[in-house]
Amino acid sequence: MDLSIAALLAQDGITNGAIYALLALAIVLVFTVTRVIWIPSGEFLSYGTLTLAGLQLGKAPGTVGLLVALAIVAGIVEVASSWRRGELARLPWRLLLWVGIPLAIALVLARAAPLHWPFPLQVMLTLAAVTAMGPLQYRIVYQPLADASVLVLLIVSVAVHFVLTGLGLWFFGAEGSRTPAFSDASLQAGAVVFSAQSLLVVLASLLLIGVLYLFFGTTLYGKALRATAVNRIGARLVGISPSFAGTLTFALAALLCAFSGVLIGPITTVYYDSGFLVSLKGFVGAIIGGLVSYPLAAAGALLVGLLESFSSFWASAFKEVIVFTLIIPVLLWRSLAAHHHEEDE
Amino acid sequence: MRGTSVAPRVAMTAFVVLLVVIPWIAPPFWVTLGNYIGLYSIVALGLVLLTGVAGQTSFGQAAFVGLGAYTSAWLTTHAAWSPWLTLPAALVLTAAMALALGFITLRMKGHYLPLATIAWGIALYLTFGNLDWLGGHTGMSGIPALSIGGFGLRSERRYYALIWAVALAALWASRNLLDSRPGRALRAMKGGLEMAEAFGVDGARLKTVAFVYAALLACVSGWLYAHLQRFVNPTPFGINQGIEYLFMAVIGGAASVWGAVVGAALITVLKEVLQDVLPALLGRSGNFEIVVFGIVMIVLLQFARDGVWPWLARLAPTRRAGTVPAASPLPSRQADRPRHAALLAVRGVRKTFGGLVAVDDLSFEIRPGEILGLIGPNGAGKSTTFGLISGSLRLSGGEILFRGRSIGSLTPYEIAKLGIGRTFQHVRLLGYMSVLDNVALGAYLRGRAGVLRASLRLDRAEEARTRAVAARAIERTGLRTHMFDEAGSLPLGTQRIVEVARALAADPVLLLLDEPAAGLRFLEKKALADLLRGLRSEGMTILLVEHDMEFVMGLTDRLVVMDFGEKLAEGEPDAVRQNPAVLEAYLGGT
Amino acid sequence: MSGQRAGGVAPILEVERLCVSYGKVPALRDVTLEVAVGSVVTVIGPNGAGKTTLLAAIAGLLPSRGTLRCFGEPVANSPVEARVQRGLVLVPEKRELFATMSVVDNLRLGAFVRRRNGGASAALADVYARFPRLAERRGQLAGTLSGGERQMLALGRALMARPRLLLLDEPSLGLAPVIVREIFEIIASLRASGVAILLVEQNARAALQVADYGYVLETGECVLEGRAAALSDDPRVIASYLGHGKAFQA
């Protein structure tokens, strides 16, 4: 391997790593605030790519049907729970929130598809549609399980992964999609060629991470989520309700995944079930960060990207095996390092 | 302790008769289905022990099934081994893999094992598919059929007998295991880990044992599968199948071994039906049954977390009651009791939490045969001191000597082994287990029986003696009438006494009691005081951490009073009671 | 109970026959109490009596049976956050601070329920005026504070929500006498500014001194109640804490 190949592999690794990093951040965010190990994060990535691909082809993506289906279920859940608690007075508002908004987005999506909107608008619409599914998922599945153990929440997450994969097949079909590259340009620096596409992916990821950093560091809502992650009871005592925190968290996490779906579209062909393996790479990164540290999770995800890219050069058939086996030494390291942490809790 | 009602026996007999009859009366397709239910039941059974009992979980059981199948497939086709020899080889290989995974993940929080099993399940699946010498994605064929002494097991009907013989044997062994010394400890893993460790259970080791046990069952199922199909490829060992195994255990009811069979049957039949119905209904092909499985799981975990089995079990109610067989108690642990001036010496002990100093330069001694009271107002550092002595907290400074040996750096279960028994301030009983089972857990360190002996029911003599020990501790604490009640159904005061009985069953040299009188009514306190006095007269040494001054006054030999993490006073109870500093600490100054 | 009702003004908190159980084990049995507008009411009693459980149930952290009316409205069915919104704020025994966040972030989050009303900066200035120590440490992480500072931060965070009824669980727990005195001075000054307080205390003497009315809780039941001044002279209160010294003699 010479330097230019190494540089090419590194570039690939960092590009993929940046996408895995977004997933890893979403996974850490969801886990710290809600204790949910969010296995179905990958489906949101697939939905992101497939929605954008549909819009570019000028046909209504399966997302329309998915949103309608989720909104109907959320409406049923909302009516049932309002009935049980005797809070029917607030039902119209809640229905507007949980049914009205998703249906409105679905309607726009269906109407806009044949109009071939400009690319940035298509991206915005894609992000809005997939992001809306995050809170819906929380409302339907996780909110009723707020008091369940991490183990139960994990098993539920796997069940949700099953459901979303199956629904993905139904609504998007079995064919894969690939979106056109954002740019074909390239930059030459000595012997090394940087593709503008890669740079764009890395820059966009960095930008999103920067926005999130500001959100958590400076806004009251961002701090409220951090507070919930630090001390759940303390958060309730200042009036931050777990369902509010959960809804906001799942919206942010879905946004991150949808965004990575948009970014990964031009790099690889995405099928309805591709997201699972991608999200597991995000998980390996998140586990490197102990499921709590954002910087370590992002660094871990980059490491996964690089490892994957270089192992595809040496042993391409085993690149996934190598990536997933990485989790073993990582866990060993964590189990030896994290011992004293558990005592103080 | 078998149920006294006949209904379960009838149900059990009916089940076995049905099993035996099916292959002779049912169409071949049903036999095939029955074979698969049997194979899946064996895997799900392991998950019942791992998930429902030990509180861990794995999505990678399909990989262990694959390991069993592939090991036998390769050894029989490439190395011409007899299938009967490949089984032990596969078991050894599986055990080694599971041990390694378990060793790495089970010392950490519960969610790392399942995450690791997902990654490992995928990695192994891809490895099967990418190694040419394992046949790649096309797999390996020509695996020989099993035969027992010339009696070939080629036909599905004959194989059915083998599968279900193995499945029933596994059920029998697992039930035995749960009703034994290691089984009690296993059942304590879920929600009672800290308590179990205080009685000498090595939690990480025991969880690893459960994981290996589950992996071995999966391996056996895989071995059976390879010689049933006589062909293997990677498909049935992927992560989705691993997830479905877990669904079987959860849907069936992960708290009971029968849940495994129910879950395996439900999922297998449902899958068969859905794969017929759904594509026709939807007009499209694809594995849409996973949507149905997923929804069933979500609804079940939201509304009926215990699965289907409890509903079925209610049809044939059992009453858990019985008698304790007469048996000589287990050997005492007191034989080598060297005389030390101080049984326990606390020297200059210090504990800080972040910037807070909870205990500062505390020193005192406990003399053999005395009841020492450690008292003080709320927040004085009593419970922290208790945690330091029992090993649940680590020292920041100073040392603690038990019989002259430093115990400051030992884990709770190592401290328990030295002969220190304890109770918990917030009662830690396993509410769904009987008082007898709870107390018997206290005698964990006095028994020897391991998983193998327990599964094969070779531990009955020791088990009878354990029960005798537990029964004696219960009688001594005046709880004879509650012996077979569910611990969770008793009033708080009684539960506190059960805690004392459990500590007594361990036959400790030193008994640590953490606020045993808190929340007790007057008569209950009086009974507790009488009990502790009786124990002292038999030579037991007791450290009583208490808040209730009145309770300790007439009972203890000496008192150590703490305030703000330091020793405020020490001496005879009456003298301490008159001490103005103590009075102010209790009622507050102004 | 009518002892503290003044001039027919409805009490700010009415608790009637409140029961709480952990699983099948009862922790509180038929506790009835009330807090009059602008008064300090204390609940004292030995360890394990159920004092913390009582406050947790009133705040909504624990499910309970019985009647619970706050500010004249039933609140038994509303979640913790809704009660905070109405001005019912708990300062728990364990403080429950956001350890890895700064003092000022902890305080600003205290005003989370009032985020749409504004005035958080004014409230912050009030808290800093009351606790100058918190102003000095505003940038420090809550987890690095001393015990007394943590209690002040917990109190300050609660005040940021502009409570009408403050539930204080063992505010003097584990604090040095100097700081305990400071805390009780703050309680007195809060009362003067019109905040009603339900105070659970181990430190019976100090609590009865600052309170208008008191209840003594033992094994989950209310065994004694009366005006604070009367209770502090009642030998039964001392007995409840220190005992008579003879009951458990052999």
Side-chain angles (χ1 to χ4, degrees), chain B residues 356 378-379 488-490 492 495 515 519-522 525-526 533 547 549-551 554 564 577 583 587-588 590, chain C residues 24-25 29 47 146-147 150 170 173-177 202-205 209 219 242-245 247-250:
Chain B
L356 296 182
N378 252 4
S489 68
L490 302 176
L492 180 65
Q495 292 198 16
E515 307 217 4
L520 295 202
R521 292 162 188 247
F522 180 76
K525 284 186 193 172
K526 206 160 162 56
R533 230 176 257 119
H547 178 83
M549 278 273 258
E550 170 138 36
F551 182 69
F564 298 116
R577 195 172 136 72
L583 222 61
L587 278 171
T590 44
Chain C
K24 292 173 190 160
V25 181
R29 278 179 286 251
N47 243 15
S146 73
R150 284 182 199 203
E170 307 264 5
L173 183 69
L175 300 183
Q202 191 69 55
N203 192 333
R205 279 182 184 157
Q209 211 157 60
T219 55
L242 291 185
H244 313 281
F248 298 105
Q249 232 121 51

Side-chain angles (χ1 to χ4, degrees), chain B residues 159-397:
Chain B
Y159 212 83
Y160 174 95
L162 175 67
I163 287 176
W164 277 100
V166 172
L168 288 176
L171 278 165
W172 177 74
S174 303
R175 263 185 71 108
N176 292 344
L177 176 59
L178 288 180
D179 183 30
S180 73
R181 171 180 177 268
R184 266 189 301 273
L186 264 179
R187 285 191 275 163
M189 292 294 101
K190 203 171 171 179
L193 183 60
E194 190 191 349
M195 177 273 289
E197 296 204 321
F199 291 98
V201 176
D202 181 346
R205 189 182 154 273
L206 204 65
K207 283 187 262 178
T208 310
V209 166
F211 183 56
V212 172
Y213 186 92
L216 291 178
L217 283 178
C219 170
V220 169
S221 172
W223 176 83
L224 285 168
Y225 172 86
H227 295 281
L228 167 70
Q229 292 287 319
R230 306 182 50 209
F231 161 77
V232 293
N233 72 347
T235 314
F237 311 126
I239 190 70
N240 275 13
Q241 184 63 40
I243 293 171
E244 276 175 31
Y245 283 131
L246 184 66
F247 285 5
M248 289 175 196
V250 173
I251 288 177
S256 159
V257 293
W258 292 105
V261 181
V262 173
L266 278 177
I267 291 268
T268 310
V269 172
L270 191 63
K271 191 169 186 171
E272 203 56 52
V273 172
L274 289 175
Q275 280 180 341
D276 276 350
V277 172
L278 281 185
L281 199 69
L282 300 173
R284 229 191 275 180
S285 64
N287 54 342
F288 293 112
E289 73 277 2
I290 62 173
V291 177
V292 178
F293 289 169
I295 290 173
V296 168
M297 281 295 288
I298 294 168
V299 171
L300 200 72
L301 289 172
Q302 282 184 353
F303 297 104
R305 230 166 267 180
D306 296 329
V308 174
W309 175 250
W311 299 78
L312 288 177
R314 222 167 289 161
L315 300 177
T318 54
R319 227 183 74 79
R320 287 206 143 246
T323 51
V324 177
S328 62
L330 293 163
S332 165
R333 300 166 67 210
Q334 314 258 347
D336 58 330
R337 192 194 286 182
R339 286 286 160 186
H340 280 273
L343 188 62
L344 186 96
V346 173
R347 294 205 185 135
V349 158
R350 188 180 158 79
K351 175 70 186 175
T352 56
F353 294 101
L356 296 182
V357 181
V359 174
D360 196 11
D361 195 23
L362 179 71
S363 300
F364 64 87
E365 291 184 344
I366 306 175
R367 300 168 194 154
E370 74 170 347
I371 300 182
L372 177 74
L374 179 62
I375 64 169
N378 252 4
K382 304 183 301 281
S383 287
T384 308
T385 307
F386 191 97
L388 292 170
I389 297 173
S390 61
S392 55
L393 295 172
R394 302 232 164 228
L395 289 172
S396 308

Side-chain angles (χ1 to χ4, degrees), chain A residues 279-317:
Chain A
S279 76
L280 285 182
K281 289 167 192 165
F283 260 103
V284 177
I287 287 170
I288 291 177
L291 288 176
V292 291
S293 161
Y294 293 95
L296 273 182
L302 270 187
L303 179 72
V304 171
L306 286 170
L307 184 74
E308 180 188 38
S309 149
F310 280 91
S311 45
S312 69
F313 179 75
W314 278 302
S316 73

Side-chain angles (χ1 to χ4, degrees), chain C:
Chain C
M1 203 153 333
S2 50
Q4 51 168 325
R5 196 171 286 196
V9 181
I12 202 162
L13 176 74
E14 292 163 276
V15 175
E16 244 174 85
R17 303 183 69 84
L18 190 79
C19 300
V20 176
S21 10
Y22 294 108
K24 292 173 190 160
V25 181
L28 284 184
R29 278 179 286 251
D30 290 334
V31 174
T32 298
L33 61 81
E34 59 182 49
V35 178
V37 176
S39 69
V40 175
V41 173
T42 185
V43 176
I44 57 177
N47 243 15
K51 303 187 299 287
T52 294
T53 304
L54 174 65
L55 287 199
I58 295 174
L61 286 173
L62 285 176
S64 57
R65 280 171 293 116
T67 318
L68 208 53
R69 293 170 69 82
C70 201
F71 317 119
E73 289 167 61
V75 292
N77 288 325
S78 51
V80 181
E81 307 78 35
R83 299 184 201 194
V84 177
Q85 191 108 41
R86 291 186 185 178
L88 173 67
V89 181
L90 168 69
V91 180
E93 183 184 340
K94 291 181 175 168
R95 322 312 196 218
E96 308 289 1
L97 300 173
F98 307 122
T100 57
M101 300 174 78
S102 68
V103 167
V104 61
D105 279 352
N106 270 273
L107 290 175
R108 283 200 176 274
L109 283 166
F112 186 79
V113 287
R114 300 177 45 82
R115 61 193 178 278
R116 296 203 187 90
N117 310 28
S121 300
L124 194 61
D126 280 357
V127 169
Y128 282 156
R130 225 182 261 280
F131 305 98
R133 283 283 274 287
L134 295 182
E136 288 165 29
R137 317 244 156 183
R138 69 183 81 190
Q140 211 171 312
L141 296 187
T144 64
L145 298 180
S146 73
E149 289 163 351
R150 284 182 199 203
Q151 182 56 59
M152 289 177 191
L153 180 54
L155 266 171
R157 188 179 69 179
L159 292 179
M160 290 293 292
R162 299 238 184 245
R164 290 192 280 164
L165 171 61
L166 206 49
L167 309 175
L168 300 182
D169 195 357
E170 307 264 5
S172 74
L173 183 69
L175 300 183
V178 180
I179 301 175
V180 172
R181 209 163 302 143
E182 213 174 316
I183 298 281
F184 277 98
E185 278 163 18
I186 289 160
I187 292 172
S189 81
L190 283 174
R191 174 177 185 260
S193 59
V195 181
I197 291 170
L198 181 58
L199 172 67
V200 153
E201 255 297 339
Q202 191 69 55
N203 192 333
R205 279 182 184 157
L208 289 173
Q209 211 157 60
V210 75
D212 301 293
Y213 201 82
Y215 296 85
V216 180
L217 212 60
E218 254 178 59
T219 55
E221 281 166 300
C222 202
V223 292
L224 200 58
E225 67 173 277
R227 300 198 320 103
L231 280 182
S232 51
D233 295 333
D234 196 321
R236 284 176 294 175
V237 174
I238 298 181
S240 157
Y241 274 73
L242 291 185
H244 313 281
K246 296 197 178 65
F248 298 105
Q249 232 121 51

